[in-house]
Amino acid sequence: MMEDSSIDRSSLRTTQRAPRSCKSCASRKIKCDKAIPCSRCVKRGEAESCFRETVIVRGQVKIARDSSGQRSYDEIAQENARLRRIVDENAVYPLLAVNTRISSSRIHHNVDEFDKYERLLFESSASTERSPRLNLEDIILPSRKCSNSLIEYDKEWNSWVHYALEYPKFEEEHDAFMNRIDAGTLLADLDPFWLAIYFSVITAAILTMDTDELLALGLPSVDHRQLQLNWFGAAIMFLHRADFMSHFRLETVQTIAILGMSFFNFGNHNLNTTMWACAVSIATSIGLNRDEAEDGTLLRGLSKEGRCRLWWTIVICQWLSGPYPLSQIHEDDFDVPLPSVDVSGCVPGPRGVQIQIHPVQYHIFMARTAIVYNRFRIALRHGRLPLEELVRAADGQLAEVINTLPQHLSPEGIEVDEEDALNSLYPWIRWQRVDVTLVLLHHRLLINRVLQRAWRVESERCGWARSVCLQTAKDILWISQNWELPAAKRSQWAVALNLYVACIFLIDESKHRDLDISIDLRSEIEKCITYMDGTRSRNVIADKACEILKDLVC
């Protein structure tokens, strides 16, 4: 450490030793490699502003310095390897080159990333009603038998969507909870953080249950919509009772990750934005964004792999969030690796099917799609490549994601007999395959569609992108008709958005060329409307999408 006497001491903080991490990494609470400039600042394009904090140590002004002005051979070799990694990363992902934030040769791409009809959909579906305000006596508590069934349903159908919980741990906590309720304990005397998680779980469960499943539960109310709103309101109420804005806890992040399946279905767009912002802030404050975070009291509720999966749920929901501003999460703000497949947790395939099957494979490929799309969106704003190159690069990366899907999630799937046997053993596989395929196709359409203005001016130069979009939109509609799922399993808002965007693109392209919508296309869109119509009572996005599409095809 060296003393610097030219600095105003009144502005400095006092500490035990001068920090060797740079000021930027320390303020972001992320791991720094302690080089100046460090690799993270270099990657963010902030190499010139990378510095170590000046502090007061035992009455003296200090700045951490390396022990010697001469760097050793090992240090130089490490630095060389670090720079080579940066070069290699930018060779693989040309969308985000070093210094994209400060490049003087930046290309400003004048494109509309989101269609006006997408904005109309979200604006018209936003609820003007206040969120339900509940008191403890207003909460409708399910019976033990009903509650057990709801938790079992979450374990099979929803846990691999939100990855906010670990089983059987949560089942054990639920049993203890019901024991206390049976013994006469009041909700007011239980942990409000845990109750927020519980009510978020049962809210999400009935969202995707079909009518027969709901009737078999013996629910405490025949009005399933009102019951869902009651439990949704209870989850929010218990967060407030826990004073979640003042006490940063992992349970808050878990609750929001689960409720994230419901916000848009209810039309609570502003609440969605606010709660996810809280989840990101709390998660980074307690260290969920750090791979090497210590197993302290704030994180003890999940294993290391569990924390990894929950963090990526947050990232996925932020980076694949619809027509909203860029996420507040930047890739350089975390060092959590992609979730891993635990071989011991893999389920066996049916006779003759020798493939690795694990629910987390769905999560991994959703995360990879989110990475590609987020990098593309950033590149549109901080571009150093022509627009056509950005689109081709992103489309190629998305194609690589598609090509590396495991066999049971691939659009081609496996042999029909083996597929039927697989789906009978693990019915959630069909849902995963449909959802993964829709998400990948949807974002391929969004990426190539940014060239729409260009192909309408120069059809020969960018006609290839139009062809990709047309085929992709038709594939999305085809899937909705041929990969059958019960209405309840397609009631999540994102499924309706995927179908709506595909229909809007096909309608818009037909009308732009002054052509009437063809009979075949009209028929396909009407089938799509019928498909979404089955979920309107559960999904505000689907409800408004049907209204808009009906007006457009009239």
Side-chain angles (χ1 to χ4, degrees), residues 154-155 158-167 169-170 173 194 196-198 200-201 204 250-261 276 288 299-303 305-314 317 363:
D154 177 78
K155 179 181 178 180
N158 289 343
S159 62
W160 44 263
V161 177
H162 57 67
Y163 267 116
L165 305 171
E166 290 181 310
Y167 286 91
K169 181 176 182 290
F170 185 71
E173 294 172 351
W194 190 90
I197 293 176
Y198 169 71
S200 68
V201 168
L250 178 64
E251 291 93 329
T252 298
V253 182
Q254 293 171 287
T255 298
I256 295 171
I258 301 167
L259 287 179
M261 299 172 63
W276 277 115
L288 199 62
L299 296 171
R300 67 170 181 262
L302 292 174
S303 67
E305 179 61 24
R307 297 196 297 266
C308 169
R309 294 174 183 180
L310 175 57
W311 172 256
W312 276 103
T313 295
I314 299 171
C317 292
H363 205 52

Side-chain angles (χ1 to χ4, degrees), residues 312 319 331 338 366-376:
W312 276 103
W319 288 355
E331 272 191 79
L338 288 173
M366 290 291 284
R368 290 182 60 193
T369 303
I371 292 170
V372 172
Y373 188 59
N374 184 62
R375 287 174 174 171
F376 174 71

Side-chain angles (χ1 to χ4, degrees), residues 14 40-41 66 74 141 207 293 320 349 431-432 442 512 528 531:
T14 300
R40 292 187 181 276
C41 287
D66 296 332
D74 288 341
L141 194 64
L207 172 66
L320 303 178
W431 196 100
Q432 286 192 345
H442 173 72
H512 176 74
C528 191
Y531 184 86

Side-chain angles (χ1 to χ4, degrees), residues 107-172:
I107 300 171
H108 297 279
H109 299 304
N110 184 24
V111 297
D112 294 323
E113 196 179 338
F114 296 103
D115 185 90
K116 63 181 179 180
Y117 288 107
E118 288 168 56
R119 298 189 185 280
L120 173 63
L121 174 64
F122 278 85
E123 289 168 2
S124 62
S125 63
S127 174
T128 57
E129 300 178 3
R130 294 176 63 90
S131 298
R133 302 266 180 164
L134 299 181
N135 297 313
L136 285 170
E137 57 270 21
D138 298 324
I139 296 174
I140 304 172
L141 194 64
S143 67
R144 185 178 194 127
K145 180 181 178 181
C146 177
S147 189
N148 285 339
S149 297
L150 290 167
I151 299 305
E152 184 62 31
Y153 184 89
D154 177 78
K155 179 181 178 180
E156 180 174 7
W157 286 101
N158 289 343
S159 62
W160 44 263
V161 177
H162 57 67
Y163 267 116
L165 305 171
E166 290 181 310
Y167 286 91
K169 181 176 182 290
F170 185 71
E171 289 173 306
E172 295 166 357

